Amino acid sequence: MSLQSKKTFAMVMYDICRPDLCSPDEGKCAAAAACTHKVMQQIDGAFEPPVIFQDRCLACWDCIEACPLDAVAVKKIS
Ligand code: SF4
Ligand code: SF4
């Protein structure tokens, strides 16, 4: 349990995320590339969905703006 009472972070919706559709040539996640804080990373390589290290997310939403398929959402926990 976090000491913070509230936390907001980005979350990948894996039912929507399709690296083969958003980047057919390279399979590169534009949302992960937009996360300059390296909180979101395509750790399994090209054509694989990214992961978000949510405890480090700064809630800047650059990834949400960058994803062409709207596969990244704001998640709030309280
Ligand atoms: S999060 Fe968006 S940009 Fe990244 S691989 Fe999924 S669909 Fe593509
Ligand atoms: S909201 Fe910002 S810090 Fe968090 S994963 Fe997206 S781009 Fe990275």
Side-chain angles (χ1 to χ4, degrees), residues 10 31 34-37 39-40 52 56-64:
C35 181
T36 54
H37 309 286
V39 171
M40 185 173 188
I52 296 175
R56 288 164 38 203
C57 178
L58 303 177
C60 67
W61 313 137
D62 289 346
C63 55
I64 291 178

Side-chain angles (χ1 to χ4, degrees), residues 1 7-8 12 17 19 41-42 47 52 63-64 74-75:
M1 184 66 108
K7 172 79 176 147
T8 306
V12 179
C17 174
Q41 296 182 29
Q42 207 171 11
F47 293 100
I52 296 175
C63 55
I64 291 178
V74 175
K75 173 80 175 173

Side-chain angles (χ1 to χ4, degrees), residues 12 17-19 22 29-31 40 50 67-69 71-72:
V12 179
C17 174
R18 288 282 305 275
C22 73
C29 175
M40 185 173 188
C67 175
L69 298 185
V72 191

Side-chain angles (χ1 to χ4, degrees), residues 5-45:
S5 60
K6 270 193 177 175
K7 172 79 176 147
T8 306
F9 50 82
M11 177 187 67
V12 179
M13 294 183 284
Y14 288 109
D15 53 335
I16 299 175
C17 174
R18 288 282 305 275
D20 59 322
L21 287 184
C22 73
S23 177
D25 293 335
E26 294 181 82
K28 192 174 172 215
C29 175
C35 181
T36 54
H37 309 286
K38 307 292 183 199
V39 171
M40 185 173 188
Q41 296 182 29
Q42 207 171 11
I43 55 171
D44 291 327

